[in-house]
């Protein structure tokens, strides 16, 4: 059943499929063959619902899954050999670049590491904070400000400087 679906992706030729296109193809496969109805309620179908995109470079189909906020998984399936490889982010992006640039064996690829800029930046630890960045930062900054007395001095100086009508 899976080969039937993935083969349709490969038959379309190389390209990028968005999540709605992946789901549409799954539904078409199920409608065309009554024997594939069990695919509709299968665990693979549920996993496919979390797929964000598919990169097709025959005979490979690379899938980017987002099972929950802040978590990404990448796999590459060889449709002809039925082998599955787990990919790192860098490998997935390189595979995606091959779609446009063709295969590149250049070892001198420019990579920028922005991690030092994020070293002191607070990171949300709960998935419920994702999408609520301003609220998260407000809570973080106010907890720092009210836990240290010396943090209140700059605020007090600011308020004294910007008074209006004596208030």
């Amino acid at each position: 059943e899976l080969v039937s679906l993935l083969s349709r992706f490969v038959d379309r030729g190389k390209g990028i499929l968005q999540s709605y296109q992946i789901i549409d193809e799954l539904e078409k496969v199920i409608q065309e063959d009554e024997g594939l109805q069990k695919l509709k309620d299968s665990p693979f179908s549920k996993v496919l619902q979390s797929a964000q995109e598919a990169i097709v470079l025959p005979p490979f189909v690379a899938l980017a899954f987002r099972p929950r906020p802040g978590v990404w998984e990448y796999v590459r399936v060889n449709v002809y050999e039925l082998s599955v490889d787990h990919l790192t982010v860098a490998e997935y992006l390189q595979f995606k670049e091959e779609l446009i640039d063709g295969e590149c064996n250049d070892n001198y690829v420019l990579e920028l590491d922005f991690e030092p800029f994020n070293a002191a930046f607070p990171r949300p630890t709960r998935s419920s904070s994702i999408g609520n960045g301003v609220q998260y930062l407000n809570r973080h900054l106010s907890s720092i400000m009210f836990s240290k007395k010396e943090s209140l001095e700059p605020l007090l100086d600011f308020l004294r400087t910007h008074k209006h009508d004596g208030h």
Side-chain angles (χ1 to χ4, degrees):
E1 295 91 2
L2 302 178
V3 173
S4 175
L5 176 64
L6 295 176
S7 293
R8 289 178 75 124
F9 294 159
V10 171
D11 292 343
R12 293 176 87 170
K14 70 179 189 173
I16 298 176
L17 300 174
Q18 297 300 318
S19 60
Y20 72 92
Q21 294 170 309
I22 298 168
I23 301 304
D24 286 348
E25 284 297 323
L26 175 64
E27 291 172 359
K28 285 179 189 174
V29 166
I30 292 170
Q31 287 175 355
E32 291 174 4
D33 189 350
E34 291 297 321
L36 297 178
Q37 283 296 323
K38 61 183 172 182
L39 186 61
K40 186 175 185 176
D41 299 322
S42 70
F44 180 74
S45 176
K46 288 179 180 40
V47 168
L48 215 51
Q49 298 286 335
S50 69
Q52 299 297 304
E53 70 178 5
I55 309 299
V56 182
L57 273 171
F60 296 104
V61 176
L63 296 157
F65 298 103
R66 187 176 177 209
R68 58 187 183 279
V71 177
W72 287 82
E73 297 289 333
Y74 306 97
V75 295
R76 180 177 57 202
V77 180
N78 185 329
V79 178
Y80 300 150
E81 296 177 4
L82 297 178
S83 62
V84 179
D85 300 317
H86 186 270
L87 299 176
T88 64
V89 175
E91 291 169 334
Y92 179 78
L93 292 175
Q94 182 178 2
F95 187 78
K96 194 172 182 177
E97 288 173 1
E98 287 177 16
L99 181 67
I100 306 300
D101 299 335
E103 192 168 339
C104 181
N105 292 327
D106 189 5
N107 292 332
Y108 301 104
V109 177
L110 176 64
E111 284 190 31
L112 301 175
D113 182 13
F114 292 105
E115 192 61 33
F117 296 104
N118 292 332
F121 199 76
R123 294 195 180 265
T125 54
R126 292 184 290 161
S127 61
S128 62
S129 298
I130 295 174
N132 300 314
V134 173
Q135 182 182 21
Y136 175 78
L137 284 176
N138 284 341
R139 285 183 181 162
H140 176 75
L141 293 173
S142 63
S143 78
I144 289 174
M145 188 172 70
F146 292 115
S147 66
K148 301 175 186 173
K149 287 186 179 182
E150 59 272 2
S151 302
L152 291 174
E153 286 299 322
L155 176 63
L156 217 53
D157 293 340
F158 176 83
L159 292 173
R160 285 182 187 132
T161 305
H162 295 90
K163 62 184 172 189
H164 177 69
D165 291 336
H167 297 285

